[in-house]
């Protein structure tokens, strides 16, 4: 007679399966707040207790039919802690009598083979894998589980909402609070390429708009280069209406302009200027003497 699995282990297994099933269909942990999950959990626990009670009755009937020796062995086995029992079963070897019962004689090549059963842990993993595959296919076919487009849209909406919430709690960047940061250069380049290259060309070498890499500037509204760039991008150029007021018009936020200003400052101060010989536009305006 085999030793039965304790009720508390069966409860943990059933609850674990419930968590997997509900998560696969709900796609979030919100199911913890629903009455359906807790009702299913309660019903499952009750069923496990009922199954355990029925198992006890069957076990008692089987126990009565054992010989005295078999009863002593079974009682001794039940005194061993369950997990220790599992460990012992995993490493248990057959007796000589048991090997005779499972011995296979090929008969033609003299090879003797033992018809051992597969380990229980291996069979358990196999059956669990089969059950999970069936559950996965059903949930994938009839729900949004594991669909990359759906998962992407959900995560995208969550990120946008988080950004909006962050922007509400953080004051907008102004010319007074804007500061140069190397961390903003890469994102500033992307914003520049999207909005500014039509006039200033790639890398700010100039075209319709002036060359942003030399030290000649048409507009010098501030004492420092970085603040001056922020000012012109936000308010536009009084000398050229083509240079719109990106900030006042609401096209770019203060945070975006802070990043663009970081990129323009970077190509002007931290890189060599693009000369006319290298394809850059000729200098426009007057030479600037910025404060550091």
């Amino acid at each position: 007679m085999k030793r039965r699995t304790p009720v508390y282990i069966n409860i943990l297994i059933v609850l674990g399966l419930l968590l997997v099933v509900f998560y696969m269909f709900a796609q979030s942990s919100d199911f913890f707040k629903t009455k359906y999950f807790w009702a299913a959990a309660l019903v499952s626990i009750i069923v496990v207790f009922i199954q355990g009670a029925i198992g006890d009755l069957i076990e008692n009937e089987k126990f009565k039919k054992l010989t005295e020796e078999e009863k002593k062995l079974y009682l001794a086995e039940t005194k061993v802690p369950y997990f220790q029992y599992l460990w012992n079963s995993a490493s248990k070897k057959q007796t000589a009598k048991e090997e005779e019962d499972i011995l296979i004689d090929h008969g033609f090549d003299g090879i003797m083979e033992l018809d051992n059963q597969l380990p229980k842990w291996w069979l358990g993993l196999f059956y669990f894998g089969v059950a999970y595959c069936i559950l996965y296919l059903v949930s994938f076919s009839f729900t949004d589980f594991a669909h990359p487009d759906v998962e992407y849209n959900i995560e995208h909406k969550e990120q946008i909402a988080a950004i909006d919430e962050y922007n509400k709690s953080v004051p907008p960047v102004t010319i007074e609070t804007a500061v140069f940061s190397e961390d903003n250069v890469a994102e500033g380049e992307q914003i520049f390429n999207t909005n500014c290259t039509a006039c200033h060309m790639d890398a700010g070498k100039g075209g319709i708009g002036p060359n942003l890499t030399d030290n000649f500037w048409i507009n010098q509204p501030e004492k420092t280069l970085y603040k001056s760039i922020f000012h012109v991008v936000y308010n536009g150029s009084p000398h050229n209406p083509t240079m719109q007021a990106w900030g006042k018009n609401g096209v770019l936020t203060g945070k975006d302009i802070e990043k663009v200003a970081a990129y323009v400052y970077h190509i002007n101060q931290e890189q060599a200027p693009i000369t006319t010989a290298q394809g850059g536009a000729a200098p426009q305006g007057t030479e600037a003497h910025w404060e550091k």
Side-chain angles (χ1 to χ4, degrees):
M1 192 168 66
K2 294 182 179 180
R3 183 174 177 179
R4 294 170 48 239
T5 304
V7 172
Y8 72 90
I9 300 266
N10 289 332
I11 291 176
L12 292 176
I13 293 173
V14 169
L15 292 179
L17 292 174
L18 275 178
L19 288 173
V20 172
V21 171
F22 271 84
Y23 182 79
M24 290 179 72
F25 283 88
Q27 287 294 282
S28 71
S29 59
D30 293 341
F31 64 84
F32 281 113
K33 303 175 184 178
T34 65
K35 58 185 178 182
Y36 302 106
F37 171 76
W38 295 109
L42 180 61
V43 170
S44 299
I45 292 173
I46 294 174
V47 169
V48 170
F49 276 113
I50 293 174
Q51 182 266 341
I54 295 174
D56 289 339
L57 293 175
I58 296 173
E59 185 179 38
N60 289 335
E61 291 300 319
K62 288 183 176 180
F63 185 79
K64 294 176 182 178
K65 298 177 181 179
L66 297 178
T67 63
E68 291 300 321
E69 186 64 25
E70 290 174 334
K71 289 180 180 178
K72 291 180 181 179
L73 290 175
Y74 181 73
L75 292 174
E77 189 178 77
T78 56
K79 293 179 181 179
V80 179
Y82 182 72
F83 290 104
Q84 181 66 41
Y85 163 76
L86 291 180
W87 176 260
N88 294 339
S89 299
S91 56
K92 183 180 178 181
K93 295 182 179 180
Q94 297 99 339
T95 63
K97 178 64 173 64
E98 290 172 333
E99 286 194 353
E100 289 181 3
D101 295 335
I102 61 175
L103 190 62
I104 299 176
D105 185 357
H106 286 267
F108 59 90
D109 55 9
I111 296 177
M112 309 301 286
E113 179 183 353
L114 293 177
D115 187 21
N116 287 306
Q117 292 184 346
L118 289 169
K120 293 181 180 179
W121 63 265
W122 191 96
L123 288 172
L125 288 176
F126 174 75
Y127 293 134
F128 175 80
V130 172
Y132 184 83
C133 286
I134 295 172
L135 181 62
Y136 184 94
L137 287 174
V138 172
S139 60
F140 184 87
S141 301
F142 300 102
T143 72
D144 291 335
F145 177 74
H147 284 273
D149 292 339
V150 175
E151 291 181 359
Y152 173 82
N153 290 332
I154 292 174
E155 292 182 6
H156 178 72
K157 290 178 182 178
E158 291 176 349
Q159 290 174 357
I160 294 299
I163 293 172
D164 292 340
E165 186 64 29
Y166 173 81
N167 289 333
K168 290 178 183 177
S169 61
V170 176
V173 177
T174 64
I175 193 169
E176 289 79 17
T177 59
V179 292
F180 172 79
S181 173
E182 291 286 352
D183 295 335
N184 288 332
V185 171
E187 290 186 60
E189 182 179 8
Q190 294 179 3
I191 299 171
F192 182 91
N193 290 337
T194 301
N195 301 280
C196 310
T197 53
C199 294
H200 295 283
M201 307 299 288
D202 57 292
K205 64 183 180 181
I208 299 174
N211 189 333
L212 301 177
T213 67
D214 60 30
N215 198 36
F216 290 83
W217 293 82
I218 299 173
N219 301 287
Q220 302 180 30
E222 302 290 333
K223 295 181 179 180
T224 64
L225 173 60
Y226 181 77
K227 296 288 186 180
S228 187
I229 297 168
F230 191 102
H231 181 107
V232 174
V233 176
Y234 189 91
N235 297 287
S237 171
H239 303 95
N240 184 1
T242 306
M243 178 61 187
Q244 64 171 300
W246 296 89
K248 282 186 175 180
N249 293 346
V251 180
L252 296 179
T253 65
K255 191 67 177 175
D256 292 334
I257 297 174
E258 182 182 45
K259 295 173 181 177
V260 171
Y263 173 67
V264 176
Y265 182 91
H266 168 72
I267 62 177
N268 186 276
Q269 294 291 301
E270 298 179 344
Q271 292 184 352
I274 302 175
T275 63
T276 53
Q278 297 171 320
Q284 299 182 50
T286 59
E287 186 174 6
H289 301 281
W290 305 110
E291 291 182 1
K292 297 295 182 183

